[in-house]
Amino acid sequence: MKIENSSAALETVKFDDWIARAFLWATMIWGLVGMLVGLLIATQLIDWRLNFDLPWLTFGRLRPLHTNAVIFAFAANSFFAACYYSTQRLLKTRMYSDLMSRIHFWGWQLIIVAAAISFPIGWTQGREYAELIWPIDMAVTIIWVIFTVNFLLTLWIRREKHIYVAIWFYIASILAIAMLHVVNNIQLPVSWTLSYSVYAGAQDALVQWWYGHNAVGFLLTTPFLGMMYYFLPKAADRPIFSYRLSIIHFWALVFIYIWAGPHHLYYSALPEWLQSLGMVFSIMLWAPSWGGMLNGLYTLRGAWHKVREEPILKFFVAAVTAYGMSTFEGPLLSIKAVNKISHFTDWTIAHVHVGALGWVGFMTFGMIYYLIPKLWKRPIYSRSLANAHFWIGLIGILLYAVPLWIAGVTQALMWLAMDDQGALVYPDFMETVKSIMPMYYLRAIGGSLFIIGVLIMLYNFLRSIAGVKCSELVDTEIKAAHFSTVKPEDQISELFDKEGKPKASFWKQVHRLIEGWPLVFSAIALMALMVGGLVQIVPMILVQASAPKDIIVRPYTGLELLGRDIYIREGCYNCHSQQVRPILEEAKRYGPASKAYEYMYDHPFQWGSKRTGPDLHRVGGKYPDLWHYRHLEDPRSVSANSLMPPYPWLLTANLDISNLETRLKVLKKLGVPYRDQDIEFAKEDLEKQALEFSGRLNKDGGVKNSEKKEIVALIVYLQRLGKDAQSDSVLKLGESQ
Amino acid sequence: MSALYITIIAALILLIIFLGLLAWAIVSGQWDDLETPAHRILLEELNENRK
């Protein structure tokens, strides 16, 4: 159909298909890497020897590698692939800037490599899914800004007036993640690889889980809902069941999600009203989430026979169903009474993986199988293999989740079991661990099956694209008319002639490419200003308010602080919590409930979210120094069924005190009341405390010359935990905060 | 709990941005037609130039 009006003339538009292919490669490769790390750490829980006695391979250092890889390498690259592919087609325009697209791609992959190197070394911030050290955080911010600007400018030059619902999901994801990343990662550097979070203790916990749950929402949910709204109808050749519903549930989701964060902090030192608020919003979240699930499933009305034939649709149906399950389980777990049982157990892990493997994983695989023919112009090599991938992966998910549901509830009930006299039935934590070992075996098998499915997919993919020549991979071309608000000179088609050769001179292309950069630089400058401003303002707000009346808590000494930083470096929070809940059974097992003021100088907080090992917040003074020494040297020498890896290097490595004053100065800036003499005589005080300790250790256990070793710092820190609630360092006890 | 100043203000900023986008979308007629967009995406391939 020819349109005579010149402002609506049909033009040739070429989509950038290279960028979609690139992100798909990255998704598959990093997916495999992230999942293999996951399998390794799962087997480490079964057999501690798989830590190989190496600091770089301990569970504590590798778990963050797994979580970050699957979230920021696998899921994020999958999101980017979906976004770049579908946005161009939905808006009928090429991305605004190919250069920005490529910087986004390569920059992001470099960030992932940096993460993969930094985590085993022990460079970490010690905050879940936000472990990246500050230089890498900066890189993430810059790349994200470039992505955002490119995306928004592409929206600006679009030829399709209507913004399809999938694009709305992408917009929400991009804007929310920018905000979350910046706010959560405000920190003051001590060195290139160490920094202290501006927030402390309970405040830090709040910000961290405000971020953490929104990261789930806006990186693992909304982008994949956008993906679903594009790829599911396309694969089924069916329109979305209710477009109206998609708009409504999108907005409901976006407005409700942000307030759900406190559901990670029930029975903690977080104020009660805030916990209740989080619970209410988390339960409300059920409705818009199921709106998405129902919309997706109902779209297949009249097309269920296709699901029988087509692996892609099998993946999508299972994914949407898994989404429904997770978004039912989530609100369920957000009920305080349920959370009392589930928190710190493997039930949380099961919940995560139904969403991660079922929703995120299967949506991604379905998208990959759909895109291989579209982007590489070859059919899938083997439909049977794709079907096999589906069934093997599905069994993998079931073998992952079901054992962990059982393990979670079993362990929780054992922790809570009390007899008629009010004594714990299972006072020995290790008994509860022993009882769930069979489930850990099954989980590892489930995870392995899931990975086997991924390997089948990779084989299928490589066979499908074998023999494809680069010259065949030309960009998809369409004819489209723009609507009147888009000026002709903004359109890419101006730069190409009929044969696809660039029409314009080199300089015009350069001009075209750099047009967006002032916006990028303005955005980066704005980010920098925001961050700088926040770093100034936030401590002021937090410090004044966090010092409660009548309570004085002694800050960590230099030696204790270095010990704490070692605790963070080794990732102890991945297995040990520091948060005794105001629950009777917990008081019996660990001691008095943890109070907010006890954490007031904890930069960052280390409450943890899983008890693979026991809670440590009241461990101070419970065991003699020698016990800790032996326990860290070889856990099984003092604790028979322990899963914990040995930490022999702590006994031999010398404590690095070179930047001790800097650490104390930074903390002082953040409001920790170190006096000038604390900082001036920091090294002397440290040596004195270390010598006292090593003297005791020698007397009790014959351990000689330990005073310069890292283990001294760590044990001294552990022996400090929980002491602030007793008369030791509290000079005057008042009301709790 | 003064970290709430940070988280709530940040959430409110996001909320205002999203509200703004919502208002713009309604006013500019984005959702005047809720029938065709679902079908339009299935017809994309008709526009493609075959080589």
Side-chain angles (χ1 to χ4, degrees):
Chain A
M1 180 176 72
K2 254 223 173 105
I3 299 170
E4 298 305 327
N5 182 349
S6 66
S7 75
L10 284 179
E11 287 137 352
T12 302
V13 182
K14 288 173 190 258
F15 299 136
D16 181 1
D17 285 343
W18 182 92
I19 194 73
R21 279 192 295 270
F23 276 117
L24 281 179
W25 273 107
T27 305
M28 288 187 272
I29 293 171
W30 293 122
L32 188 62
V33 168
M35 292 175 205
L36 284 171
V37 177
L39 183 58
L40 175 59
I41 63 176
T43 52
Q44 286 175 339
L45 290 179
I46 297 170
D47 190 341
W48 59 270
R49 290 170 300 186
L50 290 167
N51 288 274
F52 301 110
D53 285 4
L54 288 171
W56 313 287
L57 296 179
T58 56
F59 182 92
R61 292 199 194 178
L62 286 188
R63 185 201 165 236
L65 182 55
H66 167 66
T67 55
N68 281 260
V70 291
I71 296 173
F72 299 110
F74 174 61
N77 275 312
S78 170
F79 164 36
F80 301 146
C83 186
Y84 279 92
Y85 180 86
S86 60
T87 298
Q88 296 184 82
R89 281 154 179 78
L90 289 168
L91 301 181
K92 293 199 172 67
T93 175
R94 194 182 179 91
M95 294 308 294
Y96 183 86
S97 164
D98 282 6
L99 180 60
M100 285 194 214
S101 304
R102 277 141 187 74
I103 292 178
H104 177 196
F105 175 74
W106 290 112
W108 198 259
Q109 310 319 313
L110 275 173
I111 285 170
I112 295 169
V113 171
I117 295 172
S118 62
F119 288 147
I121 294 179
W123 295 341
T124 171
Q125 279 192 61
R127 299 165 83 246
E128 283 187 78
Y129 327 131
E131 287 94 345
L132 290 173
I133 51 175
W134 69 269
I136 312 181
D137 276 339
M138 293 260 147
V140 169
T141 309
I142 293 171
I143 299 296
W144 201 265
V145 167
I146 292 174
F147 172 43
T148 306
V149 170
N150 196 12
F151 184 81
L152 292 178
L153 288 174
T154 306
L155 262 170
W156 180 50
I157 63 166
R158 71 190 190 283
R159 282 186 188 77
E160 178 58 58
K161 186 173 180 222
H162 177 86
I163 299 175
Y164 186 69
V165 65
I167 308 278
W168 282 107
F169 276 102
Y170 300 151
I171 295 172
S173 311
I174 292 169
L175 293 180
I177 290 170
M179 171 71 83
L180 295 168
H181 174 73
V182 167
V183 171
N184 189 45
N185 281 297
I186 304 177
Q187 55 201 286
L188 277 190
V190 169
S191 70
W192 281 103
T193 58
L194 175 69
S195 63
Y196 291 127
S197 76
V198 142
Y199 317 98
Q203 317 252 25
D204 195 19
L206 169 67
V207 176
Q208 158 65 27
W209 287 111
W210 171 85
Y211 159 82
H213 198 77
N214 289 321
V216 170
F218 290 101
L219 195 46
L220 300 181
T221 305
T222 50
F224 292 86
L225 284 170
M227 194 187 289
M228 182 198 81
Y229 276 116
Y230 180 78
F231 289 100
L232 197 155
K234 295 290 283 184
D237 203 22
R238 277 278 188 289
I240 287 290
F241 167 68
S242 165
Y243 197 67
R244 179 177 270 108
L245 175 60
S246 73
I247 306 286
I248 293 173
H249 94 87
F250 164 72
W251 287 105
L253 207 69
V254 156
F255 284 125
I256 296 178
Y257 228 117
I258 304 190
W259 310 96
H263 71 224
H264 293 263
L265 297 167
Y266 291 145
Y267 297 104
S268 75
L270 205 75
E272 286 281 343
W273 65 267
L274 193 51
Q275 295 182 36
S276 302
L277 189 81
M279 175 166 147
V280 166
F281 275 89
S282 302
I283 295 175
M284 288 201 297
L285 207 47
W286 181 12
S289 305
W290 272 36
M293 172 190 75
L294 292 169
N295 217 354
L297 291 178
Y298 270 129
T299 298
L300 294 165
R301 282 190 324 168
W304 286 100
H305 62 281
K306 293 190 189 178
V307 178
R308 243 183 287 135
E309 309 295 327
E310 182 52 71
I312 295 171
L313 291 178
K314 289 194 178 76
F315 277 110
F316 286 160
V317 167
V320 172
T321 307
Y323 176 66
M325 284 172 56
S326 296
T327 54
F328 168 68
E329 191 180 28
L332 187 72
L333 291 171
S334 300
I335 297 171
K336 222 169 159 181
V338 177
N339 197 270
K340 180 177 171 183
I341 297 178
S342 71
H343 194 28
F344 296 127
T345 71
D346 283 295
W347 188 347
T348 309
I349 315 294
H351 169 64
V352 166
H353 285 84
V354 169
L357 305 181
W359 168 237
V360 173
F362 270 23
M363 269 315 297
T364 300
F365 303 147
M367 175 183 75
I368 289 174
Y369 285 114
Y370 174 84
L371 285 179
I372 290 173
K374 299 269 189 241
L375 287 173
W376 279 275
K377 320 273 191 253
R378 289 275 190 289
I380 299 286
Y381 167 71
S382 161
R383 172 172 288 189
S384 320
L385 279 180
N387 269 315
H389 174 191
F390 171 75
W391 289 111
I392 293 174
L394 189 65
I395 296 172
I397 295 172
L398 289 171
L399 271 178
Y400 193 106
V402 174
L404 286 190
W405 280 325
I406 299 172
V409 175
T410 302
Q411 197 173 28
L413 293 179
M414 288 176 86
W415 289 342
L416 295 173
M418 292 219 293
D419 63 24
D420 306 334
Q421 271 78 47
L424 291 170
V425 178
Y426 302 98
D428 180 15
F429 190 91
M430 293 317 306
E431 264 191 282
T432 71
V433 171
K434 223 172 69 158
S435 71
I436 61 175
M437 285 314 297
M439 287 68 138
Y440 279 175
Y441 277 96
L442 288 173
R443 180 263 298 268
I445 294 173
S448 306
L449 287 177
F450 196 81
I451 292 175
I452 288 172
V454 171
L455 289 168
I456 292 173
M457 178 183 76
L458 273 167
Y459 173 73
N460 209 354
F461 167 65
L462 292 169
R463 286 303 297 257
S464 305
I465 69 169
V468 170
K469 292 191 257 307
C470 279
S471 52
E472 292 177 60
L473 299 177
V474 285
D475 289 340
T476 309
E477 208 181 276
I478 65 161
K479 286 211 178 312
H482 66 92
F483 64 101
S484 59
T485 57
V486 178
K487 298 186 276 311
E489 63 265 18
D490 296 322
Q491 292 165 50
I492 284 284
S493 60
E494 291 290 294
L495 295 177
F496 293 99
D497 60 21
K498 281 201 205 47
E499 284 86 43
K501 290 205 188 52
K503 276 197 288 195
S505 72
F506 174 75
W507 291 112
K508 184 155 188 216
Q509 287 190 64
V510 169
H511 177 251
R512 181 78 178 72
L513 287 171
I514 67 173
E515 263 179 317
W517 288 105
L519 201 58
V520 173
F521 289 122
S522 309
I524 292 179
L526 183 65
M527 286 268 123
L529 284 172
M530 258 177 63
V531 169
L534 284 170
V535 166
Q536 310 278 8
I537 300 167
V538 168
M540 269 175 48
I541 298 175
L542 299 183
V543 165
Q544 282 161 17
S546 66
K549 302 194 223 337
D550 299 338
I551 294 179
I552 301 173
V553 174
R554 178 173 62 80
Y556 294 111
T557 64
L559 187 60
E560 290 159 5
L561 179 66
L562 290 180
R564 181 168 211 272
D565 288 343
I566 292 172
Y567 183 96
I568 292 170
R569 179 188 82 198
E570 299 298 343
C572 303
Y573 69 93
N574 287 292
C575 287
H576 291 283
S577 57
Q578 283 187 24
Q579 186 199 334
V580 178
R581 296 177 286 175
I583 296 171
L584 179 63
E585 297 84 350
E586 217 146 286
K588 293 260 171 195
R589 187 180 295 275
Y590 298 115
S594 306
K595 294 271 188 295
Y597 65 78
E598 297 182 67
Y599 306 107
M600 60 194 283
Y601 301 132
D602 287 6
H603 293 264
F605 83 116
Q606 287 288 284
W607 290 5
S609 52
K610 174 75 166 51
R611 285 179 185 161
T612 306
D615 187 282
L616 295 179
H617 198 225
R618 295 273 176 249
V619 81
K622 232 187 203 163
Y623 303 100
D625 295 338
L626 187 62
W627 186 93
H628 283 292
Y629 190 89
R630 296 288 174 228
H631 181 237
L632 285 160
E633 180 183 29
D634 175 15
R636 278 143 293 278
S637 66
V638 292
S639 180
N641 293 301
S642 177
L643 308 178
M644 184 164 143
Y647 288 86
W649 53 91
L650 295 176
L651 277 65
T652 51
N654 284 334
L655 191 61
D656 179 8
I657 62 173
S658 56
N659 60 8
L660 178 58
E661 282 98 353
T662 315
R663 294 188 201 212
L664 295 172
K665 280 193 191 129
V666 169
L667 284 173
K668 183 167 179 189
K669 231 187 252 172
L670 292 176
V672 183
Y674 288 117
R675 302 159 300 179
D676 288 333
Q677 64 256 48
D678 293 328
I679 299 181
E680 210 192 314
F681 297 110
K683 288 211 171 83
E684 286 88 343
D685 291 341
L686 183 146
E687 272 152 21
K688 190 156 147 262
Q689 193 179 3
L691 260 167
E692 276 171 15
F693 177 89
S694 82
R696 285 201 303 273
L697 207 59
N698 192 359
K699 192 158 76 76
D700 295 338
V703 177
K704 300 198 190 314
N705 302 322
S706 59
E707 61 272 1
K708 289 209 184 315
K709 305 299 178 190
E710 288 189 327
I711 191 141
V712 173
L714 183 56
I715 297 177
V716 150
Y717 164 68
L718 290 172
Q719 296 289 32
R720 173 69 199 276
L721 285 175
K723 286 303 195 64
D724 292 296
Q726 299 153 34
S727 53
D728 226 44
S729 358
V730 178
L731 303 184
K732 201 168 155 202
L733 247 178
E735 303 282 330
S736 70
Q737 187 203 27
Chain B
M1 256 300 111
S2 46
L4 282 172
Y5 287 120
I6 315 295
T7 58
I8 290 184
I9 290 175
L12 282 175
I13 291 174
L14 262 183
L15 199 131
I16 289 168
I17 294 176
F18 285 135
L19 268 174
L21 290 173
L22 178 64
W24 168 82
I26 295 172
V27 164
S28 71
Q30 278 291 320
W31 300 314
D32 291 346
D33 175 10
L34 290 176
E35 307 302 329
T36 33
H39 298 268
R40 186 174 42 83
I41 68 163
L42 301 176
L43 301 169
E44 282 171 355
E45 280 77 13
L46 292 180
N47 290 323
E48 270 176 37
N49 293 345
R50 305 268 166 234
K51 286 271 156 79

